[in-house]
PDB file of all heavy atoms in Angstrom:
ATOM      1  N   LEU A  46     213.749  38.627-134.247  1.00 95.00           N
ATOM      2  CA  LEU A  46     212.880  38.461-133.090  1.00 95.00           C
ATOM      3  C   LEU A  46     212.834  37.000-132.702  1.00 95.00           C
ATOM      4  O   LEU A  46     212.524  36.143-133.519  1.00 95.00           O
ATOM      5  CB  LEU A  46     211.487  39.004-133.415  1.00 95.00           C
ATOM      6  CG  LEU A  46     211.545  40.503-133.729  1.00 95.00           C
ATOM      7  CD1 LEU A  46     210.548  40.886-134.778  1.00 95.00           C
ATOM      8  CD2 LEU A  46     211.375  41.302-132.466  1.00 95.00           C
ATOM      9  N   HIS A  47     213.175  36.737-131.456  1.00 90.00           N
ATOM     10  CA  HIS A  47     213.224  35.377-130.919  1.00 90.00           C
ATOM     11  C   HIS A  47     212.261  35.322-129.731  1.00 90.00           C
ATOM     12  O   HIS A  47     212.684  35.413-128.583  1.00 90.00           O
ATOM     13  CB  HIS A  47     214.643  35.030-130.458  1.00 90.00           C
ATOM     14  CG  HIS A  47     215.664  35.193-131.532  1.00 90.00           C
ATOM     15  ND1 HIS A  47     216.122  34.132-132.268  1.00 90.00           N
ATOM     16  CD2 HIS A  47     216.306  36.292-132.004  1.00 90.00           C
ATOM     17  CE1 HIS A  47     217.017  34.568-133.149  1.00 90.00           C
ATOM     18  NE2 HIS A  47     217.148  35.863-133.003  1.00 90.00           N
ATOM     19  N   PRO A  48     210.959  35.213-129.998  1.00 76.00           N
ATOM     20  CA  PRO A  48     209.985  35.333-128.909  1.00 76.00           C
ATOM     21  C   PRO A  48     209.990  34.139-127.959  1.00 76.00           C
ATOM     22  O   PRO A  48     210.208  33.002-128.357  1.00 76.00           O
ATOM     23  CB  PRO A  48     208.650  35.423-129.648  1.00 76.00           C
ATOM     24  CG  PRO A  48     208.880  34.685-130.916  1.00 76.00           C
ATOM     25  CD  PRO A  48     210.321  34.955-131.275  1.00 76.00           C
ATOM     26  N   LEU A  49     209.743  34.434-126.705  1.00 65.00           N
ATOM     27  CA  LEU A  49     209.663  33.396-125.694  1.00 65.00           C
ATOM     28  C   LEU A  49     208.261  32.790-125.628  1.00 65.00           C
ATOM     29  O   LEU A  49     208.079  31.702-125.124  1.00 65.00           O
ATOM     30  CB  LEU A  49     210.035  33.975-124.324  1.00 65.00           C
ATOM     31  CG  LEU A  49     211.440  34.558-124.219  1.00 65.00           C
ATOM     32  CD1 LEU A  49     211.632  35.211-122.858  1.00 65.00           C
ATOM     33  CD2 LEU A  49     212.480  33.480-124.448  1.00 65.00           C
ATOM     34  N   GLN A  50     207.257  33.512-126.131  1.00 60.00           N
ATOM     35  CA  GLN A  50     205.880  33.068-126.018  1.00 60.00           C
ATOM     36  C   GLN A  50     205.487  32.020-127.045  1.00 60.00           C
ATOM     37  O   GLN A  50     204.386  31.503-126.994  1.00 60.00           O
ATOM     38  CB  GLN A  50     204.907  34.260-126.158  1.00 60.00           C
ATOM     39  CG  GLN A  50     205.102  35.343-125.127  1.00 60.00           C
ATOM     40  CD  GLN A  50     206.160  36.363-125.541  1.00 60.00           C
ATOM     41  OE1 GLN A  50     206.790  36.229-126.588  1.00 60.00           O
ATOM     42  NE2 GLN A  50     206.366  37.365-124.732  1.00 60.00           N
ATOM     43  N   GLY A  51     206.320  31.715-127.988  1.00 68.00           N
ATOM     44  CA  GLY A  51     205.994  30.713-128.990  1.00 68.00           C
ATOM     45  C   GLY A  51     205.020  31.210-130.031  1.00 68.00           C
ATOM     46  O   GLY A  51     204.175  30.459-130.500  1.00 68.00           O
ATOM     47  N   SER A  52     205.135  32.485-130.403  1.00 82.00           N
ATOM     48  CA  SER A  52     204.275  33.015-131.460  1.00 82.00           C
ATOM     49  C   SER A  52     205.066  34.034-132.275  1.00 82.00           C
ATOM     50  O   SER A  52     206.150  34.461-131.880  1.00 82.00           O
ATOM     51  CB  SER A  52     203.024  33.672-130.881  1.00 82.00           C
ATOM     52  OG  SER A  52     203.324  34.964-130.377  1.00 82.00           O
ATOM     53  N   PHE A  53     204.478  34.423-133.389  1.00 90.00           N
ATOM     54  CA  PHE A  53     205.098  35.428-134.246  1.00 90.00           C
ATOM     55  C   PHE A  53     204.522  36.816-133.969  1.00 90.00           C
ATOM     56  O   PHE A  53     204.596  37.704-134.809  1.00 90.00           O
ATOM     57  CB  PHE A  53     204.885  35.069-135.724  1.00 90.00           C
ATOM     58  CG  PHE A  53     205.779  33.965-136.221  1.00 90.00           C
ATOM     59  CD1 PHE A  53     205.248  32.758-136.609  1.00 90.00           C
ATOM     60  CD2 PHE A  53     207.143  34.145-136.302  1.00 90.00           C
ATOM     61  CE1 PHE A  53     206.059  31.742-137.092  1.00 90.00           C
ATOM     62  CE2 PHE A  53     207.973  33.133-136.774  1.00 90.00           C
ATOM     63  CZ  PHE A  53     207.427  31.936-137.166  1.00 90.00           C
ATOM     64  N   ALA A  54     203.949  37.045-132.798  1.00 92.00           N
ATOM     65  CA  ALA A  54     203.300  38.324-132.487  1.00 92.00           C
ATOM     66  C   ALA A  54     204.270  39.501-132.603  1.00 92.00           C
ATOM     67  O   ALA A  54     203.912  40.549-133.154  1.00 92.00           O
ATOM     68  CB  ALA A  54     202.673  38.276-131.099  1.00 92.00           C
ATOM     69  N   ALA A  55     205.490  39.371-132.101  1.00 93.00           N
ATOM     70  CA  ALA A  55     206.460  40.462-132.178  1.00 93.00           C
ATOM     71  C   ALA A  55     206.844  40.737-133.632  1.00 93.00           C
ATOM     72  O   ALA A  55     206.940  41.887-134.051  1.00 93.00           O
ATOM     73  CB  ALA A  55     207.696  40.132-131.352  1.00 93.00           C
ATOM     74  N   PHE A  56     207.046  39.668-134.411  1.00 95.00           N
ATOM     75  CA  PHE A  56     207.348  39.826-135.833  1.00 95.00           C
ATOM     76  C   PHE A  56     206.204  40.563-136.521  1.00 95.00           C
ATOM     77  O   PHE A  56     206.435  41.494-137.298  1.00 95.00           O
ATOM     78  CB  PHE A  56     207.555  38.462-136.498  1.00 95.00           C
ATOM     79  CG  PHE A  56     207.754  38.543-137.984  1.00 95.00           C
ATOM     80  CD1 PHE A  56     209.013  38.704-138.525  1.00 95.00           C
ATOM     81  CD2 PHE A  56     206.672  38.465-138.860  1.00 95.00           C
ATOM     82  CE1 PHE A  56     209.209  38.781-139.904  1.00 95.00           C
ATOM     83  CE2 PHE A  56     206.843  38.539-140.226  1.00 95.00           C
ATOM     84  CZ  PHE A  56     208.121  38.705-140.755  1.00 95.00           C
ATOM     85  N   GLU A  57     204.976  40.165-136.244  1.00 95.00           N
ATOM     86  CA  GLU A  57     203.803  40.788-136.868  1.00 95.00           C
ATOM     87  C   GLU A  57     203.679  42.258-136.497  1.00 95.00           C
ATOM     88  O   GLU A  57     203.329  43.088-137.338  1.00 95.00           O
ATOM     89  CB  GLU A  57     202.522  40.025-136.488  1.00 95.00           C
ATOM     90  CG  GLU A  57     202.319  38.773-137.300  1.00 95.00           C
ATOM     91  CD  GLU A  57     202.146  39.084-138.785  1.00 95.00           C
ATOM     92  OE1 GLU A  57     201.185  39.795-139.146  1.00 95.00           O
ATOM     93  OE2 GLU A  57     202.968  38.622-139.589  1.00 95.00           O
ATOM     94  N   ALA A  58     203.972  42.609-135.258  1.00 96.00           N
ATOM     95  CA  ALA A  58     203.913  44.013-134.849  1.00 96.00           C
ATOM     96  C   ALA A  58     204.906  44.849-135.659  1.00 96.00           C
ATOM     97  O   ALA A  58     204.575  45.941-136.130  1.00 96.00           O
ATOM     98  CB  ALA A  58     204.195  44.135-133.347  1.00 96.00           C
ATOM     99  N   TRP A  59     206.108  44.330-135.837  1.00 97.00           N
ATOM    100  CA  TRP A  59     207.108  45.037-136.636  1.00 97.00           C
ATOM    101  C   TRP A  59     206.712  45.068-138.114  1.00 97.00           C
ATOM    102  O   TRP A  59     206.886  46.078-138.779  1.00 97.00           O
ATOM    103  CB  TRP A  59     208.485  44.386-136.474  1.00 97.00           C
ATOM    104  CG  TRP A  59     209.212  44.898-135.271  1.00 97.00           C
ATOM    105  CD1 TRP A  59     209.325  44.295-134.051  1.00 97.00           C
ATOM    106  CD2 TRP A  59     209.919  46.130-135.179  1.00 97.00           C
ATOM    107  NE1 TRP A  59     210.061  45.082-133.212  1.00 97.00           N
ATOM    108  CE2 TRP A  59     210.437  46.219-133.872  1.00 97.00           C
ATOM    109  CE3 TRP A  59     210.157  47.177-136.062  1.00 97.00           C
ATOM    110  CZ2 TRP A  59     211.186  47.309-133.437  1.00 97.00           C
ATOM    111  CZ3 TRP A  59     210.909  48.264-135.628  1.00 97.00           C
ATOM    112  CH2 TRP A  59     211.410  48.320-134.343  1.00 97.00           C
ATOM    113  N   ARG A  60     206.187  43.961-138.625  1.00 97.00           N
ATOM    114  CA  ARG A  60     205.774  43.920-140.031  1.00 97.00           C
ATOM    115  C   ARG A  60     204.744  44.995-140.319  1.00 97.00           C
ATOM    116  O   ARG A  60     204.850  45.745-141.285  1.00 97.00           O
ATOM    117  CB  ARG A  60     205.207  42.538-140.381  1.00 97.00           C
ATOM    118  CG  ARG A  60     204.795  42.425-141.858  1.00 97.00           C
ATOM    119  CD  ARG A  60     203.958  41.202-142.124  1.00 97.00           C
ATOM    120  NE  ARG A  60     202.693  41.206-141.423  1.00 97.00           N
ATOM    121  CZ  ARG A  60     201.622  41.944-141.759  1.00 97.00           C
ATOM    122  NH1 ARG A  60     201.671  42.776-142.780  1.00 97.00           N
ATOM    123  NH2 ARG A  60     200.508  41.867-141.053  1.00 97.00           N
ATOM    124  N   VAL A  61     203.746  45.098-139.460  1.00 97.00           N
ATOM    125  CA  VAL A  61     202.693  46.097-139.638  1.00 97.00           C
ATOM    126  C   VAL A  61     203.275  47.506-139.536  1.00 97.00           C
ATOM    127  O   VAL A  61     202.974  48.373-140.368  1.00 97.00           O
ATOM    128  CB  VAL A  61     201.559  45.874-138.615  1.00 97.00           C
ATOM    129  CG1 VAL A  61     200.577  47.035-138.607  1.00 97.00           C
ATOM    130  CG2 VAL A  61     200.836  44.565-138.900  1.00 97.00           C
TER     131      VAL A  61
END
Side-chain angles (χ1 to χ4, degrees):
L46 298 145
H47 304 262
L49 300 175
Q50 301 86 357
S52 78
F53 283 114
F56 175 89
E57 280 297 299
W59 275 100
R60 182 193 63 75
V61 170

